[in-house]
Coordinates of all heavy atoms in Angstrom, one line a residue:
M1 N 65.4 35.7 74.0 CA 65.0 36.8 74.8 C 65.7 38.1 74.3 O 66.9 38.2 74.2 CB 65.4 36.5 76.3 CG 64.7 37.4 77.2 SD 64.9 36.9 78.9 CE 66.2 37.9 79.5
T2 N 64.9 39.1 74.0 CA 65.4 40.3 73.5 C 65.4 41.3 74.6 O 64.4 41.7 75.1 CB 64.6 40.8 72.3 OG1 63.8 39.9 71.9 CG2 65.5 41.3 71.2
T3 N 66.6 41.7 75.0 CA 66.7 42.7 76.0 C 66.9 44.0 75.3 O 67.9 44.2 74.6 CB 67.9 42.4 77.0 OG1 67.9 41.1 77.3 CG2 67.8 43.3 78.2
Q4 N 66.0 44.9 75.5 CA 66.1 46.2 75.0 C 67.1 47.1 75.8 O 66.9 47.2 77.0 CB 64.7 46.9 74.9 CG 64.6 47.7 73.6 CD 63.3 48.4 73.5 OE1 62.4 48.3 74.4 NE2 63.2 49.3 72.5
T5 N 68.0 47.6 75.1 CA 69.0 48.4 75.8 C 68.5 49.8 76.0 O 68.2 50.4 75.0 CB 70.4 48.4 75.1 OG1 70.6 47.1 74.5 CG2 71.5 48.8 76.0
T6 N 68.4 50.2 77.2 CA 67.9 51.6 77.4 C 69.1 52.3 78.1 O 69.9 51.8 78.7 CB 66.7 51.6 78.2 OG1 66.9 51.0 79.4 CG2 65.5 51.1 77.4
T7 N 69.1 53.6 77.9 CA 70.1 54.5 78.5 C 69.4 55.7 79.1 O 68.3 56.0 78.7 CB 71.2 54.8 77.5 OG1 72.1 55.7 78.1 CG2 70.6 55.5 76.3
R8 N 70.1 56.3 80.0 CA 69.5 57.5 80.6 C 69.5 58.6 79.6 O 70.5 58.8 78.8 CB 70.3 57.9 81.8 CG 69.8 59.1 82.6 CD 68.5 58.9 83.3 NE 68.6 58.0 84.4 CZ 69.1 58.4 85.6 NH1 69.5 59.6 85.8 NH2 69.2 57.6 86.6
C9 N 68.5 59.4 79.6 CA 68.4 60.7 78.7 C 69.6 61.5 79.0 O 70.1 61.7 80.1 CB 67.1 61.4 79.0 SG 66.9 63.0 78.2
E10 N 70.1 62.1 77.9 CA 71.3 62.9 78.0 C 71.1 64.2 78.9 O 72.1 64.6 79.5 CB 71.6 63.5 76.6 CG 72.4 62.5 75.7 CD 73.9 62.7 75.8 OE1 74.3 63.7 75.3 OE2 74.5 61.9 76.4
N11 N 69.9 64.6 79.1 CA 69.7 65.7 79.9 C 69.8 65.3 81.4 O 69.2 64.3 81.8 CB 68.2 66.3 79.7 CG 67.9 67.3 80.7 OD1 68.7 67.8 81.5 ND2 66.7 67.8 80.7
L12 N 70.8 65.9 82.1 CA 71.1 65.4 83.4 C 70.0 65.5 84.4 O 69.8 64.7 85.3 CB 72.3 66.2 83.9 CG 73.7 65.9 83.3 CD1 74.8 66.8 83.9 CD2 74.0 64.4 83.4
A13 N 69.1 66.5 84.1 CA 67.9 66.6 85.0 C 66.8 65.7 84.7 O 65.9 65.5 85.5 CB 67.5 68.1 84.9
C14 N 67.0 65.0 83.6 CA 65.9 64.2 83.1 C 66.2 62.7 83.6 O 67.3 62.2 83.5 CB 65.8 64.2 81.6 SG 64.4 63.2 81.0
L15 N 65.1 62.1 84.0 CA 65.3 60.7 84.5 C 64.6 59.7 83.6 O 64.4 58.6 83.9 CB 64.6 60.6 85.9 CG 65.3 61.6 86.9 CD1 64.6 61.5 88.2 CD2 66.8 61.1 87.2
C16 N 64.4 60.2 82.4 CA 63.8 59.2 81.4 C 64.7 58.2 80.9 O 65.9 58.5 80.7 CB 63.2 60.0 80.3 SG 61.7 61.0 80.7
D17 N 64.3 57.1 80.6 CA 65.0 56.1 79.9 C 64.8 56.2 78.4 O 63.6 56.3 78.0 CB 64.7 54.7 80.4 CG 65.4 54.4 81.7 OD1 66.4 54.9 82.0 OD2 64.7 53.7 82.5
V18 N 65.8 56.2 77.6 CA 65.6 56.3 76.2 C 66.3 55.1 75.6 O 67.2 54.5 76.2 CB 66.2 57.6 75.6 CG1 65.4 58.8 76.1 CG2 67.7 57.7 75.9
S19 N 65.9 54.7 74.4 CA 66.5 53.5 73.8 C 67.9 54.0 73.4 O 68.2 55.1 73.2 CB 65.7 53.1 72.6 OG 65.8 54.0 71.5
A20 N 68.8 53.0 73.3 CA 70.2 53.2 73.0 C 70.5 54.0 71.7 O 71.5 54.6 71.6 CB 70.9 51.9 73.0
T21 N 69.5 54.0 70.9 CA 69.7 54.8 69.6 C 69.4 56.2 69.7 O 69.7 57.0 68.8 CB 68.8 54.2 68.5 OG1 67.5 54.0 69.0 CG2 69.3 52.7 68.1
Q22 N 68.8 56.5 70.8 CA 68.5 58.0 71.0 C 69.4 58.5 72.1 O 69.9 57.9 73.0 CB 67.0 58.1 71.5 CG 66.0 57.7 70.4 CD 64.6 57.8 70.9 OE1 64.3 57.1 71.9 NE2 63.8 58.6 70.4
E23 N 69.5 59.9 72.1 CA 70.2 60.6 73.2 C 69.3 61.2 74.2 O 69.6 61.2 75.3 CB 71.2 61.6 72.5 CG 72.3 61.0 71.7 CD 73.2 62.0 71.1 OE1 72.8 63.2 71.0 OE2 74.4 61.7 70.9
T24 N 68.2 61.7 73.7 CA 67.3 62.4 74.6 C 65.9 61.9 74.3 O 65.6 61.3 73.3 CB 67.3 63.9 74.3 OG1 67.1 64.2 73.0 CG2 68.7 64.5 74.7
C25 N 65.1 62.1 75.3 CA 63.7 61.6 75.3 C 62.8 62.5 74.5 O 61.7 62.1 74.2 CB 63.2 61.3 76.6 SG 62.9 62.8 77.6
S26 N 63.2 63.7 74.4 CA 62.3 64.7 73.7 C 63.1 65.9 73.2 O 64.3 66.0 73.4 CB 61.4 65.2 74.9 OG 62.1 65.9 75.8
D27 N 62.4 66.7 72.4 CA 63.0 67.9 71.8 C 63.5 68.8 72.9 O 64.5 69.5 72.8 CB 62.0 68.6 70.9 CG 61.8 67.9 69.6 OD1 62.6 67.0 69.3 OD2 60.9 68.2 68.9
Y28 N 62.7 68.9 74.0 CA 63.1 69.8 75.1 C 64.5 69.3 75.7 O 65.4 70.2 75.8 CB 62.1 69.6 76.3 CG 62.6 70.3 77.5 CD1 62.5 71.7 77.7 CD2 63.2 69.5 78.5 CE1 63.0 72.3 78.8 CE2 63.7 70.2 79.7 CZ 63.5 71.5 79.8 OH 64.1 72.1 80.9
C29 N 64.7 68.1 75.9 CA 66.0 67.6 76.4 C 67.1 67.8 75.4 O 68.3 67.9 75.8 CB 65.8 66.1 76.9 SG 64.8 65.9 78.3
A30 N 66.8 67.8 74.2 CA 67.8 67.9 73.1 C 68.2 69.4 73.0 O 69.2 69.8 72.5 CB 67.3 67.4 71.8
S31 N 67.3 70.3 73.5 CA 67.6 71.7 73.3 C 68.6 72.2 74.4 O 68.8 71.5 75.4 CB 66.3 72.5 73.5 OG 65.8 72.5 74.8
L32 N 69.2 73.4 74.1 CA 70.1 73.9 75.1 C 69.5 74.1 76.4 O 70.0 74.0 77.5 CB 70.7 75.3 74.5 CG 71.8 75.1 73.5 CD1 72.2 76.5 73.0 CD2 73.0 74.4 74.1
D33 N 68.2 74.6 76.4 CA 67.5 74.9 77.5 C 67.4 73.7 78.4 O 67.6 73.7 79.6 CB 66.1 75.4 77.1 CG 65.4 76.2 78.2 OD1 66.2 76.8 79.0 OD2 64.2 76.2 78.3
G34 N 67.0 72.6 77.8 CA 66.8 71.3 78.5 C 68.2 70.8 79.1 O 68.2 70.2 80.2
R35 N 69.2 71.1 78.4 CA 70.6 70.6 78.9 C 71.2 71.5 79.9 O 72.3 71.2 80.4 CB 71.5 70.4 77.7 CG 71.1 69.2 76.8 CD 71.9 69.3 75.5 NE 71.5 68.3 74.6 CZ 72.4 67.2 74.3 NH1 73.5 67.1 75.0 NH2 72.0 66.3 73.5
D36 N 70.6 72.7 80.1 CA 71.2 73.6 81.1 C 71.4 73.0 82.4 O 70.4 72.6 83.0 CB 70.3 74.8 81.2 CG 70.9 75.9 82.0 OD1 71.9 75.7 82.7 OD2 70.5 77.1 81.9
P37 N 72.6 72.9 82.9 CA 72.9 72.2 84.2 C 72.3 72.9 85.3 O 72.1 72.3 86.4 CB 74.4 72.2 84.3 CG 75.0 73.0 83.2 CD 73.9 73.3 82.3
Q38 N 71.9 74.1 85.2 CA 71.2 74.8 86.3 C 69.8 74.5 86.4 O 69.1 74.8 87.3 CB 71.4 76.3 86.1 CG 72.9 76.8 86.2 CD 73.1 78.2 86.3 OE1 72.1 79.0 86.4 NE2 74.3 78.7 86.1
N39 N 69.3 73.8 85.4 CA 67.9 73.3 85.4 C 67.8 72.1 86.3 O 68.3 71.1 85.9 CB 67.4 73.1 84.1 CG 66.7 74.3 83.4 OD1 66.2 75.2 84.2 ND2 66.5 74.3 82.1
V40 N 67.2 72.1 87.4 CA 67.1 70.9 88.2 C 65.8 70.2 87.8 O 65.7 69.0 88.0 CB 67.0 71.2 89.7 CG1 68.5 71.2 90.3 CG2 66.4 72.5 90.0
R41 N 64.8 70.9 87.3 CA 63.6 70.2 87.0 C 63.5 70.1 85.5 O 63.7 71.0 84.7 CB 62.4 71.2 87.4 CG 61.9 70.9 88.8 CD 61.0 71.9 89.2 NE 61.2 72.2 90.6 CZ 60.4 71.7 91.6 NH1 59.4 70.9 91.2 NH2 60.7 71.9 92.8
C42 N 63.3 68.8 85.1 CA 63.1 68.6 83.7 C 61.7 68.9 83.3 O 60.7 68.7 84.0 CB 63.4 67.0 83.5 SG 63.1 66.6 81.8
E43 N 61.6 69.5 82.1 CA 60.3 69.8 81.7 C 60.0 69.2 80.3 O 59.4 69.8 79.4 CB 60.2 71.4 81.5 CG 60.1 72.0 82.9 CD 60.1 73.5 82.8 OE1 59.5 74.1 81.9 OE2 60.9 74.1 83.6
C44 N 60.5 67.9 80.2 CA 60.3 67.2 79.0 C 58.7 66.9 78.8 O 58.4 66.6 77.7 CB 61.1 65.9 79.0 SG 60.6 64.7 80.2
G45 N 58.1 66.9 79.9 CA 56.6 66.7 79.7 C 56.2 65.3 80.0 O 55.0 65.0 79.9
H46 N 57.1 64.4 80.3 CA 56.7 63.1 80.6 C 56.4 63.0 82.1 O 57.2 63.3 83.0 CB 57.9 62.1 80.3 CG 58.2 62.1 78.8 ND1 59.5 62.4 78.3 CD2 57.5 61.8 77.7 CE1 59.5 62.3 77.0 NE2 58.3 61.9 76.6
P47 N 55.2 62.6 82.4 CA 54.6 62.5 83.8 C 55.6 61.7 84.7 O 55.8 62.0 85.8 CB 53.3 61.9 83.7 CG 52.9 62.0 82.3 CD 54.1 62.1 81.4
K48 N 56.1 60.6 84.1 CA 56.9 59.7 84.9 C 58.2 60.4 85.3 O 58.7 60.2 86.4 CB 57.3 58.5 84.1 CG 57.0 57.2 84.8 CD 57.3 56.0 83.9 CE 57.3 54.7 84.6 NZ 57.6 53.6 83.8
C49 N 58.7 61.2 84.5 CA 59.9 61.9 84.7 C 59.7 62.9 85.8 O 60.4 63.0 86.7 CB 60.4 62.5 83.4 SG 61.9 63.6 83.6
T50 N 58.7 63.8 85.6 CA 58.4 64.8 86.5 C 58.2 64.2 87.9 O 58.7 64.7 88.9 CB 57.0 65.5 86.2 OG1 57.0 65.7 84.7 CG2 56.9 66.8 86.9
E51 N 57.5 63.1 88.0 CA 57.3 62.4 89.2 C 58.5 62.0 89.9 O 58.8 62.2 91.1 CB 56.4 61.2 89.0 CG 55.8 60.6 90.2 CD 55.0 59.4 89.7 OE1 53.9 59.5 89.1 OE2 55.4 58.2 90.1
Q52 N 59.5 61.4 89.1 CA 60.7 61.0 89.7 C 61.6 62.1 90.1 O 62.3 62.1 91.2 CB 61.4 60.1 88.7 CG 60.8 58.7 88.5 CD 61.7 57.8 87.7 OE1 62.7 57.4 88.2 NE2 61.4 57.6 86.5
V53 N 61.6 63.2 89.4 CA 62.4 64.4 89.7 C 61.9 65.0 91.1 O 62.7 65.2 91.9 CB 62.3 65.4 88.6 CG1 62.9 66.8 89.1 CG2 63.0 65.0 87.4
E54 N 60.6 65.1 91.2 CA 60.0 65.6 92.4 C 60.4 64.7 93.6 O 60.8 65.2 94.7 CB 58.4 65.5 92.3 CG 57.9 66.7 91.4 CD 58.1 68.0 92.0 OE1 58.0 68.2 93.2 OE2 58.4 68.9 91.2
R55 N 60.4 63.4 93.4 CA 60.8 62.5 94.4 C 62.2 62.7 94.9 O 62.5 62.7 96.0 CB 60.5 61.0 93.9 CG 60.4 60.0 95.1 CD 59.9 58.7 94.6 NE 58.6 58.8 93.9 CZ 58.1 57.8 93.2 NH1 58.8 56.7 93.1 NH2 57.0 57.9 92.6
Q56 N 63.1 62.9 93.8 CA 64.5 63.2 94.2 C 64.7 64.4 95.0 O 65.4 64.5 95.9 CB 65.3 63.1 92.9 CG 65.6 61.8 92.4 CD 66.9 61.8 91.6 OE1 67.4 62.9 91.2 NE2 67.5 60.6 91.5
L57 N 63.9 65.4 94.5 CA 64.1 66.7 95.2 C 63.6 66.7 96.6 O 64.1 67.4 97.5 CB 63.3 67.8 94.3 CG 64.0 68.2 93.0 CD1 63.1 69.2 92.3 CD2 65.4 68.7 93.2
H58 N 62.6 65.9 96.8 CA 62.1 65.8 98.2 C 62.6 64.7 99.0 O 62.2 64.4 100.1 CB 60.5 65.7 98.1 CG 59.8 66.8 97.5 ND1 59.9 68.1 98.0 CD2 59.1 67.0 96.3 CE1 59.2 68.9 97.3 NE2 58.8 68.3 96.3
G59 N 63.6 64.1 98.5 CA 64.2 63.0 99.2 C 63.6 61.6 98.9 O 62.5 61.6 98.5
E60 N 64.4 60.6 99.1 CA 64.0 59.3 98.7 C 62.9 58.7 99.6 O 62.3 57.7 99.3 CB 65.2 58.3 98.6 CG 66.1 58.7 97.6 CD 65.7 58.4 96.2 OE1 64.9 57.4 96.1 OE2 66.1 59.0 95.2
G61 N 62.8 59.4 100.8 CA 61.9 58.9 101.7 C 60.4 58.7 101.3 O 59.8 57.7 101.7
G62 N 60.0 59.6 100.5 CA 58.7 59.6 100.0 C 57.6 59.7 101.1 O 56.6 59.0 101.0
R63 N 57.9 60.6 102.0 CA 56.9 60.7 103.1 C 55.7 61.6 102.7 O 54.7 61.6 103.4 CB 57.6 61.4 104.3 CG 58.2 60.3 105.2 CD 58.6 61.0 106.5 NE 59.7 61.9 106.4 CZ 59.8 63.0 107.0 NH1 58.9 63.4 107.9 NH2 60.8 63.9 106.9
E64 N 55.9 62.2 101.5 CA 54.8 63.1 101.0 C 53.7 62.2 100.5 O 53.8 61.4 99.7 CB 55.3 64.0 99.9 CG 54.8 65.4 100.0 CD 55.8 66.4 99.8 OE1 57.0 66.2 100.3 OE2 55.5 67.4 99.2
S65 N 52.5 62.5 101.0 CA 51.4 61.8 100.4 C 50.7 62.6 99.4 O 50.5 63.9 99.6 CB 50.4 61.4 101.6 OG 50.1 62.5 102.3
V66 N 50.2 62.1 98.4 CA 49.6 62.9 97.3 C 48.1 63.1 97.5 O 47.5 62.0 97.8 CB 49.8 62.2 95.9 CG1 49.4 63.1 94.8 CG2 51.3 61.8 95.8
Ligands
ZN101 ZN1 62.5 64.4 81.5
ZN102 ZN1 64.7 63.6 78.7

């Protein structure tokens, strides 16, 4: 069984999982802009990430219907 080790993207605002050999999921997250701690919204462009960030910002309840 091969367990792929994944780690969280270096960008604190980003919720993407990246493989252990990478630090960030995208050029955006690797840039100073992406790492800016004042940035609460990640703009790496991954739909999954945006979705999860939105969910966090609106609370874990997920009462919002799309
Ligand atoms: Zn992201
Ligand atoms: Zn990222």
Side-chain angles (χ1 to χ4, degrees):
M1 198 166 99
T2 345
T3 316
Q4 219 184 351
T5 321
T6 54
T7 177
R8 180 73 70 78
C9 175
E10 278 266 292
N11 178 5
L12 290 180
C14 182
L15 299 173
C16 287
D17 283 329
V18 296
S19 72
T21 51
Q22 295 176 296
E23 288 182 336
T24 54
C25 69
S26 63
D27 286 346
Y28 168 81
C29 288
S31 71
L32 280 179
D33 202 28
R35 287 168 184 253
D36 188 341
Q38 292 189 15
N39 265 342
V40 271
R41 269 165 216 266
C42 176
E43 285 173 46
C44 67
H46 297 123
K48 226 177 174 180
C49 175
T50 317
E51 196 180 290
Q52 287 191 73
V53 170
E54 287 292 320
R55 202 170 298 169
Q56 278 211 342
L57 288 177
H58 294 298
E60 296 284 331
R63 271 193 292 143
E64 218 136 324
S65 53
V66 188

